[in-house]
Amino acid sequence: MKTFLKAAPLALALGSALGVDGAAAAAAAAEKTTPLPRLETRDGRHSLIVDGEPFVMLAGQVNNSSNYAEPLKTAWPVLDAMHANTVEVPIAWEQVEPAEGQYNFAFLQELLDQARAHDKRVVLLWFGTWKNTSPAYTPAWVKLDNGRFPRMKDSQGKDHVVLSAHSANTMAADRRAFVKVMEYLRDHDRQNTVIMVQPENETGSYTVPRDFSAEGNRLFAQAIPASLAGRLGKSGTWEQVFGKQAPRAFNTWYVASYVNAVAEAGKAVKPLPMYVNASLAGPSNVPDPTGVASGGPQWDVLDIWKAAAPSIDFAAPDIYDRVSANIVQYLDKYARPDNALMVPEIGNAKEFARFFWPTIGRGGIGFSPFGTDDTGYYNYPLGAKAFDKETLAAFALPYAAVGSIMRDWARIAATRPTWGAAKPDDGTDQATTLGAWKITASWGQWQFGMKDWTWIKAEPAAWSNEPVGGLAVAQLSDTEYLVMGDHVRVTFSAANGRSDGTIVSVEEGTFKDGKWAMTRVWNGDQTDYGFNLIDRPQVLKVTTGFHSQRQH
């Protein structure tokens, strides 16, 4: 007999009544043992390996307070409608250790059971010492004992709300609880439903760039650590090396060292991939130390994090900036040979969905809009005013396209050149060169005809003024390319000025057992005006060539 979960209003609107035998599915999954997930880096390219094969996280993150059994149930219809394969869910220190030394893993087991029943993988978010810099998710026995668990001091010696990164007591208590979580995963998640862990959340402190306590002042007067000096090729005191950014650089080192100690202890129990997320402060300017989450892994202090936190696999940007050029810069800042690109949080408004394409086009291992449940909470203006059917569909379309070949795309992206683009705010064409071909993306066009046709009167495309559209391309060989996207026109032209280039074929299809399987050939109207990917999760393989040169 199947047990039907009561569908939330959004789920009903989407027609997503889910029938699952949760207990049976969870029990069956509990018998499985799979290879430990890991992050692989080769030649500056990164792959997330899950079940022994490359994997792309098509994810959604639930709201902060949906980390309880009942509200979590509202997430599954939303995630299914999105075609998501992964969910990001917080677990709070106050849940795990409500009384010191007494541990409760009821919600963690509930999360594992629900995720298995709904065939989703999990990224576990540890809300410990920091959650958006705040200690709000620490247990009451931590919150109320500032003597044992001291707050940062501002320059006037007054308590700041944020817990000090210099406290051995706080770090030891946080680490001990985190280790208990990892022990539970080791013992109760042999099938690795949880594929990755985020220790802490948006670390650092606002308004106070470092701890001005006696211990903080003592450490600040010293020379920077030798390992950091070696990485930077500079030595001296914090002020000598970093100038006006010294308080922030100092705080970054000690926050990163703290998080590393927590992660290192957890990995000793179960070495899952672990990452940190950044509250951002502008993609090109060096932030004001008092106006940023000082201590967090912003792009301009990643080298400090790399030196201080070797147990952290990568740092990731939380993106709520609505300026398209800024978002692209963030992607570029975090896509480094020594740092895998993942977007663990992005706004869930419709306009953010298009940035999935440049994320995976840069080899990104995952993407996750924030607030993907139906609990009735919306974090506008950072996200959508309402996470309704239309908004959800904007994320579902690219997820469905990539989801249809997810493992194959991940495998290809790990070894072959890729590129992706999103429609910029000004609607200008975007282009790149892969091999012998220039690939151009243009926006807001019908599938047939040209923009400059004056002899025919046609209404503008319905989406021409909307912030939608993107594509991702992979070069499979010297002559073959994989193309996906939505609300985009894609054209190929010879990149070297030759006039004898030609499109040999355009096939729509998928992969079966790792091999391309064609479902139809595009030609005629479907290719005369570029390859127009609009509102269907289609995958194309484009074969190119050059006319043979004959001797006369």
Side-chain angles (χ1 to χ4, degrees):
M1 177 181 294
K2 290 188 175 182
T3 301
F4 287 84
L5 299 177
K6 183 178 179 181
L10 176 59
L12 291 173
L14 295 170
S16 299
L18 297 181
V20 294
D21 187 341
E31 298 301 318
K32 299 178 182 178
T33 300
T34 64
L36 195 71
R38 67 186 188 278
L39 193 69
E40 282 189 357
T41 299
R42 296 180 182 177
D43 300 323
R45 292 183 178 151
H46 311 280
S47 297
L48 176 61
I49 307 298
V50 175
D51 298 333
E53 299 178 6
F55 184 89
V56 178
M57 281 174 42
L58 310 174
Q61 183 174 152
V62 301
N63 284 296
N64 294 160
S65 298
S66 296
N67 58 333
Y68 291 88
E70 290 305 310
L72 183 62
K73 291 177 183 178
T74 74
W76 307 115
V78 176
L79 294 163
D80 285 344
M82 284 174 58
H83 305 288
N85 59 24
T86 304
V87 62
E88 299 178 3
V89 181
I91 185 167
W93 186 0
E94 64 183 356
Q95 285 178 295
V96 169
E97 195 180 8
E100 187 170 7
Q102 298 178 24
Y103 299 97
N104 185 336
F105 298 105
F107 173 71
L108 182 53
Q109 186 60 53
E110 180 72 25
L111 169 60
L112 295 174
D113 290 342
Q114 287 194 31
R116 291 166 187 163
H118 292 272
D119 193 26
K120 299 290 185 287
R121 305 314 272 263
V122 174
V123 175
L124 194 64
L125 315 177
W126 174 244
F127 285 5
T129 299
W130 292 273
K131 193 281 167 187
N132 293 15
T133 77
S134 165
Y137 284 78
T138 61
W141 54 271
V142 173
K143 289 186 178 87
L144 300 176
D145 191 348
N146 282 5
R148 186 177 168 199
F149 307 108
R151 310 290 174 128
M152 294 175 66
K153 298 288 187 181
D154 65 17
S155 59
Q156 305 302 311
K158 297 180 180 178
D159 276 350
H160 186 43
V161 67
V162 179
L163 292 166
S164 174
H166 304 304
S167 170
N169 287 338
T170 311
M171 191 268 284
D174 188 330
R175 180 176 59 191
R176 184 171 58 249
F178 184 70
V179 165
K180 291 295 184 181
V181 170
M182 297 306 295
E183 288 175 349
Y184 195 88
L185 293 180
R186 178 196 63 196
D187 298 338
H188 297 84
D189 189 27
R190 292 178 298 165
Q191 65 273 44
N192 299 307
T193 303
V194 176
I195 59 174
M196 196 181 301
V197 178
Q198 176 191 288
E200 313 300 342
N201 179 271
E202 293 191 356
T203 57
S205 58
Y206 286 103
T207 70
V208 177
R210 73 168 178 89
D211 186 357
F212 289 87
S213 66
E215 178 65 5
N217 291 338
R218 183 186 71 80
L219 293 170
F220 186 68
Q222 296 178 359
I224 67 172
S227 58
L228 180 59
R231 185 178 183 93
L232 300 179
K234 300 177 182 179
S235 60
T237 66
W238 291 95
E239 288 185 325
Q240 289 170 339
V241 174
F242 292 100
K244 292 182 179 179
Q245 288 290 320
R248 179 165 165 253
F250 169 83
N251 203 39
T252 299
W253 174 267
Y254 283 98
V255 169
S257 298
Y258 183 118
V259 176
N260 185 71
V262 173
E264 183 179 38
K267 279 189 167 185
V269 173
K270 184 171 185 178
L272 290 172
M274 296 192 185
Y275 73 95
V276 289
N277 62 330
S279 176
L280 301 173
S284 56
N285 61 301
V286 176
D288 175 358
T290 64
V292 67
S294 174
Q298 290 86 23
W299 62 269
D300 64 315
V301 292
L302 286 187
D303 285 338
I304 300 178
W305 268 88
K306 296 293 181 185
S311 292
I312 296 298
D313 293 282
F314 61 93
D318 290 351
I319 301 176
Y320 296 95
D321 193 324
R322 291 180 184 262
V323 178
S324 66
N326 289 350
I327 295 175
V328 170
Q329 284 191 65
Y330 286 131
L331 298 178
D332 287 337
K333 297 289 189 183
Y334 283 86
R336 298 177 14 159
D338 66 346
N339 195 76
L341 176 62
M342 185 178 94
V343 179
E345 292 183 34
I346 194 167
N348 63 2
K350 180 179 178 181
E351 66 198 71
F352 288 106
R354 68 195 197 267
F355 296 102
F356 170 77
W357 296 113
T359 298
I360 67 165
R362 284 162 172 77
I365 63 172
F367 187 89
S368 182
F370 175 83
T372 53
D373 58 41
D374 194 20
T375 56
Y377 179 81
Y378 310 108
N379 69 338
Y380 181 81
L382 295 184
K385 293 180 180 178
F387 199 49
D388 55 17
K389 185 176 179 180
E390 181 182 358
T391 302
L392 184 53
F395 293 92
L397 179 54
Y399 274 24
V402 175
S404 69
I405 59 164
M406 183 271 290
R407 296 280 189 182
D408 300 281
W409 173 268
R411 170 180 51 81
I412 291 164
T415 57
R416 302 297 304 173
T418 60
W419 174 69
K423 179 183 179 181
D425 293 339
D426 63 6
T428 55
D429 292 354
Q430 303 293 294
T432 194
T433 297
L434 289 177
W437 291 85
K438 179 182 179 181
I439 303 167
T440 302
S442 55
W443 322 99
Q445 299 185 67
W446 294 110
Q447 294 162 298
F448 186 88
M450 305 295 290
K451 275 185 175 181
D452 58 0
W453 279 2
T454 57
W455 57 273
I456 187 170
K457 294 182 180 180
E459 297 178 359
W463 58 90
S464 60
N465 292 320
E466 293 185 17
V468 297
L471 84 162
V473 181
Q475 184 183 3
L476 302 177
S477 70
D478 290 343
T479 59
E480 295 176 312
Y481 298 81
L482 201 66
V483 180
M484 296 178 289
D486 70 82
H487 299 91
V488 61
R489 172 173 290 184
V490 188
T491 56
F492 279 61
S493 57
N496 56 5
R498 292 174 63 171
S499 60
D500 57 347
T502 189
I503 300 298
V504 177
S505 68
V506 180
E507 298 178 354
E508 181 181 342
T510 187
F511 286 90
K512 294 182 179 179
D513 298 323
K515 295 182 179 180
W516 177 254
M518 181 269 291
T519 56
R520 68 165 171 160
V521 174
W522 284 22
N523 213 330
D525 290 347
Q526 278 70 46
T527 60
D528 287 347
Y529 303 100
F531 321 133
N532 293 277
L533 297 156
I534 306 299
D535 60 356
R536 309 293 173 90
Q538 295 165 320
V539 182
L540 305 180
K541 189 181 81 166
V542 179
T543 302
T544 63
F546 291 90
H547 307 160
S548 60
Q549 301 297 313
R550 298 182 179 179
Q551 296 292 329
H552 294 282

